[in-house]
């Protein structure tokens, strides 16, 4: 699974606890709102890259349908 913009920080941390450090680094609260609703596009791109790197996920590891 790849971490995506429609996921909330709270849900991401519930699945991947080690992502907490990335959210802390970027001063992003662990809320139920999706990332795309309150993170700017440039920061969002950087954030998604860091989050997916820390969990070892990429578009290459994501298969259609789950």
């Amino acid at each position: 699974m790849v971490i995506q913009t429609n996921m909330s920080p709270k849900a991401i941390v519930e699945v991947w606890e080690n992502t907490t450090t990335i959210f802390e680094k970027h001063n992003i609260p662990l809320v139920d709102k999706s990332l795309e609703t309150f993170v700017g596009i440039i920061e969002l791109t950087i954030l998604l890259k860091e989050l997916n790197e820390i969990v070892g996920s990429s578009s290459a590891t994501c298969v259609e349908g789950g």
Side-chain angles (χ1 to χ4, degrees):
M1 174 186 268
V2 175
I3 296 173
Q4 300 175 17
T5 60
N6 63 341
M7 298 174 163
S8 73
K10 183 178 178 183
I12 293 168
V13 169
E14 286 176 0
V15 176
W16 299 282
E17 289 181 33
N18 60 335
T19 59
T20 303
T21 58
I22 303 296
F23 289 115
E24 289 172 351
K25 174 183 169 185
H26 291 276
N27 296 314
I28 296 174
L30 302 180
V31 296
D32 282 322
K33 296 166 77 175
S34 67
L35 290 170
E36 63 195 356
T37 62
F38 69 97
V39 177
I41 189 70
I42 293 172
E43 184 179 17
L44 187 57
T45 302
I46 295 166
L47 180 66
L48 287 176
K49 182 178 184 292
E50 290 181 19
L51 289 169
N52 282 302
E53 282 178 1
I54 200 168
V55 300
S57 188
S58 70
S59 57
T61 61
C62 185
V63 293
E64 192 166 331

